[in-house]
mmCIF file with all atom_site columns, all heavy atoms in Angstrom:
data_model
loop_
_atom_site.group_PDB
_atom_site.id
_atom_site.type_symbol
_atom_site.label_atom_id
_atom_site.label_alt_id
_atom_site.label_comp_id
_atom_site.label_asym_id
_atom_site.label_entity_id
_atom_site.label_seq_id
_atom_site.pdbx_PDB_ins_code
_atom_site.Cartn_x
_atom_site.Cartn_y
_atom_site.Cartn_z
_atom_site.occupancy
_atom_site.B_iso_or_equiv
_atom_site.pdbx_formal_charge
_atom_site.auth_seq_id
_atom_site.auth_comp_id
_atom_site.auth_asym_id
_atom_site.auth_atom_id
_atom_site.pdbx_PDB_model_num
ATOM 1  N N   . ASN P 1 73 ? -2.786 1.685  -15.083 1.00 97.00 ? 1281 ASN P N   1
ATOM 2  C CA  . ASN P 1 73 ? -3.354 2.587  -14.060 1.00 97.00 ? 1281 ASN P CA  1
ATOM 3  C C   . ASN P 1 73 ? -3.252 2.041  -12.635 1.00 97.00 ? 1281 ASN P C   1
ATOM 4  O O   . ASN P 1 73 ? -3.882 2.548  -11.718 1.00 97.00 ? 1281 ASN P O   1
ATOM 5  C CB  . ASN P 1 73 ? -4.833 2.901  -14.350 1.00 97.00 ? 1281 ASN P CB  1
ATOM 6  C CG  . ASN P 1 73 ? -5.022 3.508  -15.710 1.00 97.00 ? 1281 ASN P CG  1
ATOM 7  O OD1 . ASN P 1 73 ? -4.233 4.351  -16.134 1.00 97.00 ? 1281 ASN P OD1 1
ATOM 8  N ND2 . ASN P 1 73 ? -6.051 3.077  -16.420 1.00 97.00 ? 1281 ASN P ND2 1
ATOM 9  N N   . LYS P 1 74 ? -2.451 0.980  -12.438 1.00 98.00 ? 1282 LYS P N   1
ATOM 10 C CA  . LYS P 1 74 ? -2.425 0.333  -11.126 1.00 98.00 ? 1282 LYS P CA  1
ATOM 11 C C   . LYS P 1 74 ? -1.036 0.149  -10.539 1.00 98.00 ? 1282 LYS P C   1
ATOM 12 O O   . LYS P 1 74 ? -0.909 -0.222 -9.378  1.00 98.00 ? 1282 LYS P O   1
ATOM 13 C CB  . LYS P 1 74 ? -3.088 -1.042 -11.219 1.00 98.00 ? 1282 LYS P CB  1
ATOM 14 C CG  . LYS P 1 74 ? -4.586 -0.966 -11.412 1.00 98.00 ? 1282 LYS P CG  1
ATOM 15 C CD  . LYS P 1 74 ? -5.144 -2.361 -11.461 1.00 98.00 ? 1282 LYS P CD  1
ATOM 16 C CE  . LYS P 1 74 ? -6.655 -2.333 -11.460 1.00 98.00 ? 1282 LYS P CE  1
ATOM 17 N NZ  . LYS P 1 74 ? -7.188 -3.689 -11.339 1.00 98.00 ? 1282 LYS P NZ  1
ATOM 18 N N   . SER P 1 75 ? -0.010 0.295  -11.356 1.00 98.00 ? 1283 SER P N   1
ATOM 19 C CA  . SER P 1 75 ? 1.340  0.258  -10.808 1.00 98.00 ? 1283 SER P CA  1
ATOM 20 C C   . SER P 1 75 ? 2.162  1.292  -11.567 1.00 98.00 ? 1283 SER P C   1
ATOM 21 O O   . SER P 1 75 ? 1.768  1.715  -12.663 1.00 98.00 ? 1283 SER P O   1
ATOM 22 C CB  . SER P 1 75 ? 1.951  -1.140 -10.877 1.00 98.00 ? 1283 SER P CB  1
ATOM 23 O OG  . SER P 1 75 ? 1.955  -1.633 -12.192 1.00 98.00 ? 1283 SER P OG  1
ATOM 24 N N   . ALA P 1 76 ? 3.279  1.697  -10.976 1.00 98.00 ? 1284 ALA P N   1
ATOM 25 C CA  . ALA P 1 76 ? 4.049  2.784  -11.579 1.00 98.00 ? 1284 ALA P CA  1
ATOM 26 C C   . ALA P 1 76 ? 5.519  2.652  -11.218 1.00 98.00 ? 1284 ALA P C   1
ATOM 27 O O   . ALA P 1 76 ? 5.886  1.926  -10.285 1.00 98.00 ? 1284 ALA P O   1
ATOM 28 C CB  . ALA P 1 76 ? 3.519  4.133  -11.105 1.00 98.00 ? 1284 ALA P CB  1
ATOM 29 N N   . ALA P 1 77 ? 6.342  3.357  -11.993 1.00 98.00 ? 1285 ALA P N   1
ATOM 30 C CA  . ALA P 1 77 ? 7.776  3.399  -11.720 1.00 98.00 ? 1285 ALA P CA  1
ATOM 31 C C   . ALA P 1 77 ? 8.284  4.809  -11.975 1.00 98.00 ? 1285 ALA P C   1
ATOM 32 O O   . ALA P 1 77 ? 7.841  5.475  -12.919 1.00 98.00 ? 1285 ALA P O   1
ATOM 33 C CB  . ALA P 1 77 ? 8.514  2.406  -12.604 1.00 98.00 ? 1285 ALA P CB  1
ATOM 34 N N   . LEU P 1 78 ? 9.181  5.279  -11.113 1.00 98.00 ? 1286 LEU P N   1
ATOM 35 C CA  . LEU P 1 78 ? 9.811  6.596  -11.264 1.00 98.00 ? 1286 LEU P CA  1
ATOM 36 C C   . LEU P 1 78 ? 11.325 6.400  -11.328 1.00 98.00 ? 1286 LEU P C   1
ATOM 37 O O   . LEU P 1 78 ? 11.870 5.612  -10.547 1.00 98.00 ? 1286 LEU P O   1
ATOM 38 C CB  . LEU P 1 78 ? 9.516  7.464  -10.033 1.00 98.00 ? 1286 LEU P CB  1
ATOM 39 C CG  . LEU P 1 78 ? 8.397  8.499  -10.083 1.00 98.00 ? 1286 LEU P CG  1
ATOM 40 C CD1 . LEU P 1 78 ? 7.078  7.849  -10.439 1.00 98.00 ? 1286 LEU P CD1 1
ATOM 41 C CD2 . LEU P 1 78 ? 8.277  9.214  -8.741  1.00 98.00 ? 1286 LEU P CD2 1
ATOM 42 N N   . PHE P 1 79 ? 11.960 7.115  -12.228 1.00 97.00 ? 1287 PHE P N   1
ATOM 43 C CA  . PHE P 1 79 ? 13.420 7.059  -12.340 1.00 97.00 ? 1287 PHE P CA  1
ATOM 44 C C   . PHE P 1 79 ? 14.036 8.424  -12.134 1.00 97.00 ? 1287 PHE P C   1
ATOM 45 O O   . PHE P 1 79 ? 13.458 9.426  -12.559 1.00 97.00 ? 1287 PHE P O   1
ATOM 46 C CB  . PHE P 1 79 ? 13.861 6.670  -13.764 1.00 97.00 ? 1287 PHE P CB  1
ATOM 47 C CG  . PHE P 1 79 ? 13.628 5.243  -14.139 1.00 97.00 ? 1287 PHE P CG  1
ATOM 48 C CD1 . PHE P 1 79 ? 12.527 4.887  -14.893 1.00 97.00 ? 1287 PHE P CD1 1
ATOM 49 C CD2 . PHE P 1 79 ? 14.534 4.276  -13.757 1.00 97.00 ? 1287 PHE P CD2 1
ATOM 50 C CE1 . PHE P 1 79 ? 12.333 3.567  -15.266 1.00 97.00 ? 1287 PHE P CE1 1
ATOM 51 C CE2 . PHE P 1 79 ? 14.339 2.950  -14.129 1.00 97.00 ? 1287 PHE P CE2 1
ATOM 52 C CZ  . PHE P 1 79 ? 13.233 2.602  -14.883 1.00 97.00 ? 1287 PHE P CZ  1
ATOM 53 N N   . VAL P 1 80 ? 15.224 8.468  -11.528 1.00 98.00 ? 1288 VAL P N   1
ATOM 54 C CA  . VAL P 1 80 ? 16.085 9.642  -11.651 1.00 98.00 ? 1288 VAL P CA  1
ATOM 55 C C   . VAL P 1 80 ? 17.425 9.107  -12.150 1.00 98.00 ? 1288 VAL P C   1
ATOM 56 O O   . VAL P 1 80 ? 18.026 8.215  -11.524 1.00 98.00 ? 1288 VAL P O   1
ATOM 57 C CB  . VAL P 1 80 ? 16.268 10.395 -10.312 1.00 98.00 ? 1288 VAL P CB  1
ATOM 58 C CG1 . VAL P 1 80 ? 17.217 11.573 -10.493 1.00 98.00 ? 1288 VAL P CG1 1
ATOM 59 C CG2 . VAL P 1 80 ? 14.926 10.888 -9.780  1.00 98.00 ? 1288 VAL P CG2 1
ATOM 60 N N   . VAL P 1 81 ? 17.856 9.600  -13.304 1.00 98.00 ? 1289 VAL P N   1
ATOM 61 C CA  . VAL P 1 81 ? 19.081 9.087  -13.915 1.00 98.00 ? 1289 VAL P CA  1
ATOM 62 C C   . VAL P 1 81 ? 20.304 9.617  -13.167 1.00 98.00 ? 1289 VAL P C   1
ATOM 63 O O   . VAL P 1 81 ? 20.386 10.812 -12.842 1.00 98.00 ? 1289 VAL P O   1
ATOM 64 C CB  . VAL P 1 81 ? 19.133 9.472  -15.411 1.00 98.00 ? 1289 VAL P CB  1
ATOM 65 C CG1 . VAL P 1 81 ? 20.454 9.034  -16.047 1.00 98.00 ? 1289 VAL P CG1 1
ATOM 66 C CG2 . VAL P 1 81 ? 17.963 8.850  -16.153 1.00 98.00 ? 1289 VAL P CG2 1
ATOM 67 N N   . GLY P 1 82 ? 21.227 8.719  -12.866 1.00 98.00 ? 1290 GLY P N   1
ATOM 68 C CA  . GLY P 1 82 ? 22.418 9.078  -12.100 1.00 98.00 ? 1290 GLY P CA  1
ATOM 69 C C   . GLY P 1 82 ? 23.628 9.371  -12.969 1.00 98.00 ? 1290 GLY P C   1
ATOM 70 O O   . GLY P 1 82 ? 23.576 9.257  -14.198 1.00 98.00 ? 1290 GLY P O   1
ATOM 71 N N   . LYS P 1 83 ? 24.740 9.730  -12.291 1.00 97.00 ? 1291 LYS P N   1
ATOM 72 C CA  . LYS P 1 83 ? 25.970 10.100 -13.011 1.00 97.00 ? 1291 LYS P CA  1
ATOM 73 C C   . LYS P 1 83 ? 26.771 8.882  -13.474 1.00 97.00 ? 1291 LYS P C   1
ATOM 74 O O   . LYS P 1 83 ? 27.448 8.926  -14.483 1.00 97.00 ? 1291 LYS P O   1
ATOM 75 C CB  . LYS P 1 83 ? 26.872 10.926 -12.088 1.00 97.00 ? 1291 LYS P CB  1
ATOM 76 C CG  . LYS P 1 83 ? 26.299 12.296 -11.750 1.00 97.00 ? 1291 LYS P CG  1
ATOM 77 C CD  . LYS P 1 83 ? 27.217 13.011 -10.750 1.00 97.00 ? 1291 LYS P CD  1
ATOM 78 C CE  . LYS P 1 83 ? 26.398 13.931 -9.877  1.00 97.00 ? 1291 LYS P CE  1
ATOM 79 N NZ  . LYS P 1 83 ? 26.934 14.144 -8.549  1.00 97.00 ? 1291 LYS P NZ  1
ATOM 80 N N   . ARG P 1 84 ? 26.705 7.790  -12.714 1.00 96.00 ? 1292 ARG P N   1
ATOM 81 C CA  . ARG P 1 84 ? 27.510 6.604  -13.028 1.00 96.00 ? 1292 ARG P CA  1
ATOM 82 C C   . ARG P 1 84 ? 26.922 5.856  -14.221 1.00 96.00 ? 1292 ARG P C   1
ATOM 83 O O   . ARG P 1 84 ? 25.710 5.935  -14.463 1.00 96.00 ? 1292 ARG P O   1
ATOM 84 C CB  . ARG P 1 84 ? 27.560 5.643  -11.822 1.00 96.00 ? 1292 ARG P CB  1
ATOM 85 C CG  . ARG P 1 84 ? 27.716 6.287  -10.481 1.00 96.00 ? 1292 ARG P CG  1
ATOM 86 C CD  . ARG P 1 84 ? 29.134 6.610  -10.130 1.00 96.00 ? 1292 ARG P CD  1
ATOM 87 N NE  . ARG P 1 84 ? 30.046 5.503  -10.349 1.00 96.00 ? 1292 ARG P NE  1
ATOM 88 C CZ  . ARG P 1 84 ? 31.354 5.655  -10.520 1.00 96.00 ? 1292 ARG P CZ  1
ATOM 89 N NH1 . ARG P 1 84 ? 31.886 6.867  -10.506 1.00 96.00 ? 1292 ARG P NH1 1
ATOM 90 N NH2 . ARG P 1 84 ? 32.127 4.606  -10.683 1.00 96.00 ? 1292 ARG P NH2 1
ATOM 91 N N   . PRO P 1 85 ? 27.755 5.105  -14.942 1.00 95.00 ? 1293 PRO P N   1
ATOM 92 C CA  . PRO P 1 85 ? 27.224 4.295  -16.043 1.00 95.00 ? 1293 PRO P CA  1
ATOM 93 C C   . PRO P 1 85 ? 26.189 3.301  -15.504 1.00 95.00 ? 1293 PRO P C   1
ATOM 94 O O   . PRO P 1 85 ? 26.399 2.725  -14.430 1.00 95.00 ? 1293 PRO P O   1
ATOM 95 C CB  . PRO P 1 85 ? 28.453 3.552  -16.564 1.00 95.00 ? 1293 PRO P CB  1
ATOM 96 C CG  . PRO P 1 85 ? 29.641 4.254  -16.006 1.00 95.00 ? 1293 PRO P CG  1
ATOM 97 C CD  . PRO P 1 85 ? 29.218 4.936  -14.754 1.00 95.00 ? 1293 PRO P CD  1
#
Side-chain angles (χ1 to χ4, degrees):
N1281 303 319
K1282 289 181 172 187
S1283 56
L1286 261 57
F1287 288 99
V1288 178
V1289 176
K1291 292 176 210 151
R1292 319 277 312 158

